[in-house]
Amino acid sequence: MSAGTDGGAARNGGAAAGNGGGPVTVRLRGRLEDLRPALRRIAEIVLADPQAAGGMTISALAKAAACSEATVVRLSHELGYSGYREFRFSLLEETAIHRERTSGSAYESDIDPADDLGTVVGKIAFADARAVRDTAGSLDTAVLGTVAELIAGARRIAVFGAGASGLAGMDLAQKLTRIGLSCSVHRDVHEGLPAAALLEEGDVAVGLSHTGQTTDVLDALRVAADSGAATVAITNAPASALARSAQHVLVTAATESAFRSGATASRIAQLTVIDCILVAVAQRLPDLGRQALERTRTAVESRRVP
């Protein structure tokens, strides 16, 4: 979740910088798809029941995951903890806070096809609110500030996203345009790759992908980097190919529902980051973007019913 230009470790330093990387479960969910089999087994055990896992000794957790104690320690280090003791303490602290926040909640579990509509609405609202809270809580403000500086001073900004992430990308482009910046959004690879190739030094390319594995977005950011543009990734997976390829990474913290494809929680987490970018960029503009906002507001005023 941190910025850098010296490879994956520097770019993703927030995930390896102690407690600045967010809650244990948020870190694990973000890394799950990129972990080696033994490490992934440990992560899946922890995510399946964080409270029970927090009560396990290192030997008990290693036995449950059919791996060595050294492997458990390795996972702790990869997540940014000094060892299993700090990992376990952070997990216990997180589960205690979570119990307090969700005590008595009937909406914590995933949506079930048999749920009535009232329960479905409650579960969606709960998941979306948690995505916003977890994303805001683990967002690296140092990286956010760096990204805002780059965007505020950019000659051009190009945003790349596919599917649901493309919709979030449209929101970012629309908001940056409304405060007077030159920003375009590209949701089709045949349109996006030429646009990325035309970027130059002083331009910024922003790629959005929940999984960090969307090839259209990944390829666009690579082409943009080769063209000299600064690259920014917004992803839920800080160890993904997209995160490793970008110079600056802003990480979301949403849990996708198995029952909903392209669930709203991931998009709302992205929109949370986008709103933070917008305000941070506006703060760096001479008039906070007010003049541009007023002019664009006036332009569409005549399209409203009196």
Side-chain angles (χ1 to χ4, degrees), residues 15-16 31 35-36 39 73-81:
R31 297 288 303 276
L35 292 174
R36 294 179 181 177
L39 299 178
V73 173
R74 188 181 312 127
L75 177 63
S76 302
H77 289 165
E78 288 205 13
L79 294 176
Y81 297 101

Side-chain angles (χ1 to χ4, degrees), residues 242-298:
L242 182 65
R244 291 195 301 271
S245 71
Q247 293 171 319
H248 311 282
V249 184
L250 292 169
V251 181
T252 58
T255 305
E256 284 280 24
S257 167
F259 193 68
R260 294 179 293 159
S261 177
T264 57
S266 61
R267 293 200 301 277
I268 285 177
Q270 290 174 337
L271 293 174
T272 299
V273 173
I274 285 168
D275 281 346
C276 291
I277 291 174
L278 175 70
V279 174
V281 170
Q283 286 180 325
R284 287 158 174 78
L285 298 178
D287 64 345
L288 304 180
R290 290 192 184 111
Q291 184 180 9
L293 278 172
E294 184 60 34
R295 290 171 63 185
T296 54
R297 188 179 296 116
T298 300

Side-chain angles (χ1 to χ4, degrees), residues 12-147:
N12 296 296
N19 293 331
V24 179
T25 55
V26 170
R27 301 190 203 192
L28 284 173
R29 286 197 301 268
R31 297 288 303 276
L32 191 61
E33 298 301 321
D34 302 287
L35 292 174
R36 294 179 181 177
L39 299 178
R40 182 165 181 166
R41 288 198 301 272
I42 303 169
E44 287 173 341
I45 290 170
V46 174
L47 291 173
D49 192 343
Q51 185 173 349
M56 291 182 176
T57 62
I58 188 171
S59 57
L61 183 55
K63 183 177 180 180
C67 67
S68 67
E69 293 182 13
T71 303
V72 178
V73 173
R74 188 181 312 127
L75 177 63
S76 302
H77 289 165
E78 288 205 13
L79 294 176
Y81 297 101
S82 60
Y84 181 66
R85 181 177 180 180
E86 185 184 11
F87 171 90
R88 183 182 179 189
F89 177 80
S90 296
L91 184 60
L92 288 169
E93 184 179 41
E94 179 186 342
T95 54
I97 293 172
H98 183 70
R99 282 199 308 273
E100 184 178 344
R101 285 176 173 170
T102 62
S103 178
S105 174
Y107 305 127
E108 186 178 358
S109 60
D110 200 356
I111 295 173
D112 189 285
D115 286 339
D116 60 65
L117 286 179
T119 301
V120 168
V121 171
K123 287 183 175 180
I124 290 174
F126 183 90
D128 290 353
R130 181 173 61 184
V132 172
R133 182 183 67 241
D134 289 349
T135 296
S138 57
L139 192 62
D140 191 321
T141 54
V143 181
L144 177 63
T146 299
V147 170

Side-chain angles (χ1 to χ4, degrees), residues 1-25:
M1 290 184 290
S2 64
T5 56
D6 298 323
R11 283 189 289 269
N12 296 296
N19 293 331
V24 179
T25 55

Side-chain angles (χ1 to χ4, degrees), residues 183-216:
C183 186
S184 59
V185 60
H186 309 278
R187 299 171 61 200
D188 177 85
V189 66
H190 296 287
E191 173 195 3
L193 290 178
L198 291 174
L199 296 176
E200 300 173 358
E201 187 175 349
D203 297 334
V204 176
V206 181
L208 295 95
S209 171
H210 177 75
T211 63
Q213 304 292 351
T214 306
T215 55
D216 291 0

